[in-house]
Amino acid sequence: MTTAAVPDGVTTLPGLFARTVAEHADQPAITDADGVLTYRELDELSDAVSGLLRLHGVSPGDRVALCVAHSSGSWAAVLGILKRGAVYVTVETCDPAGPSEPAMRMGGATLCLSDMPRPKAHRCPRVLVIPLADAGPHTAVYHSAPHPRLATAACVVAPTSEADGPCRALIVDHTYIVARADGWAGEESTPALQGERFGYFGDVPLSAVQLSLWVGLAHGAHLVVLPSLTCLLERGLREELSRRGITALALPVAALDHGVRKEAEGFAALRVLVVEGDGLAPEVCRMLVGAGFDGRLVHVTGPADSPSWRVVSTRA
């Protein structure tokens, strides 16, 4: 379990990202189907998104929903929203019809960023939907002066549902994620992520691997958007991860359980495996080791609004 303090001089997620940009500006930040963005390029694209939001009247504290596929654009959107001092709401759908009204209403969003080129209609007519493609150099008007209350303000709202109860929205602040994302550096047992090709599956909701990916961005990892786990298993997981040069992987417990039972040896060559969620079965860990995995297994567990992690070394 890790208990981390907020690092000196960094109290917000834009601040955490700015530090990474300063240290790794020309290193690859994210690869998707369209190519590679360096940390500098991702920073510039997120500036453009921040400016686009400003042009549409978004103010600090406003909530902006995301209806985007996993890509460099989705992270530019997340960072751009945060740079504006606003809050991003994870709407786990990219339905061409647009975000559903219940999810938008629950998250309190009044605007939605979408990767649809020019949506003509959507299912929440009282919410403005802005195509992410509208962001460009002409909108890059972001200035880095921090809002004085931003650190303790909300940064993400994740609408959730309970099997036998009402829907609710989980709200997390900047300080919380910053402390935990940066806390890896303070633990001798934690694996270094700088330069690792840190893969995550495109069909996994952002909220399911959110902390893992912020850890990657905080430590100069190269995030790689992968096709679905099912797709890679059909092609041969080990071969596909090797072909794409993946050395670290983030996924929820349920996905790991499914993947290991289908092709345990597919994970053998990884140096770091980050798993989020409760219910990691000892049997799955034994199958991993038995199939040749000898890297570091990082298990993020506990309530979604108060997770902790432990690093398990499988090396002798």
Side-chain angles (χ1 to χ4, degrees):
M1 182 181 297
T2 297
T3 301
V6 177
D8 292 342
V10 177
T11 59
T12 67
L13 290 171
L16 192 70
F17 181 71
R19 188 184 64 186
T20 305
V21 173
E23 296 173 351
H24 308 289
D26 297 317
Q27 299 301 310
I30 186 165
T31 291
D32 60 15
D34 295 324
V36 183
L37 282 185
T38 66
Y39 275 94
R40 188 195 311 277
E41 291 168 336
L42 181 57
D43 188 43
E44 292 171 351
L45 183 56
S46 62
D47 283 351
V49 173
S50 179
L52 176 66
L53 296 175
R54 181 179 181 223
L55 291 175
H56 283 274
V58 174
S59 300
D62 287 350
R63 295 184 180 184
V64 180
L66 291 176
C67 189
V68 295
H70 286 303
S71 66
S72 55
S74 63
W75 277 104
V78 165
L79 289 161
I81 291 168
L82 296 176
K83 285 180 175 184
R84 185 69 193 130
V87 182
Y88 68 96
V89 179
T90 57
V91 179
E92 308 298 2
T93 178
C94 295
D95 191 312
S100 67
E101 185 166 0
M104 296 285 285
R105 185 173 62 247
M106 189 191 316
T110 56
L111 183 147
C112 178
L113 275 175
S114 168
D115 54 3
M116 293 179 283
R118 180 64 62 179
K120 296 180 180 180
H122 54 90
R123 294 177 291 168
C124 194
R126 292 186 294 279
V127 175
L128 175 65
V129 176
I130 301 175
L132 185 57
D134 283 359
H138 64 289
T139 67
V141 293
Y142 166 71
H143 297 289
S144 59
H147 191 276
R149 297 182 180 177
L150 187 59
T152 56
C155 62
V156 56
V157 174
T160 63
S161 60
E162 300 175 359
D164 299 313
C167 293
R168 63 190 181 92
L170 172 69
I171 302 175
V172 182
D173 63 39
H174 282 259
T175 301
Y176 182 83
I177 296 183
V178 168
R180 282 152 182 80
D182 206 71
W184 286 53
E187 293 289 315
E188 292 183 2
S189 61
T190 55
L193 288 177
Q194 180 180 340
E196 297 283 3
R197 287 178 63 88
F198 196 3
Y200 66 103
F201 298 108
D203 61 337
V204 171
L206 175 61
S207 57
V209 288
Q210 188 163 233
L211 181 57
S212 302
L213 299 181
W214 274 115
V215 168
L217 289 176
H219 295 283
H222 178 181
L223 303 187
V224 181
V225 182
L226 301 171
S228 69
L229 175 59
T230 299
C231 177
L232 293 193
L233 286 169
E234 289 175 352
R235 299 175 185 175
L237 182 62
R238 184 164 188 164
E239 290 77 9
E240 283 295 309
L241 293 181
S242 176
R243 183 175 70 83
R244 298 166 190 270
I246 303 302
T247 58
L249 191 65
L251 72 173
V253 164
L256 178 69
D257 187 281
H258 174 69
V260 168
R261 295 181 191 281
K262 288 285 187 180
E263 188 189 333
E265 63 274 14
F267 301 89
L270 295 171
R271 290 197 286 264
V272 182
L273 182 57
V274 186
V275 187
E276 293 201 32
D278 296 328
L280 179 59
E283 178 189 1
V284 170
C285 296
R286 289 193 292 269
M287 291 172 68
L288 269 175
V289 175
F293 176 75
D294 66 349
R296 296 291 180 89
L297 175 63
V298 183
H299 184 204
V300 182
T301 186
D305 57 349
S306 183
S308 59
W309 59 79
R310 60 192 180 102
V311 180
V312 181
S313 176
T314 59
R315 299 186 180 113

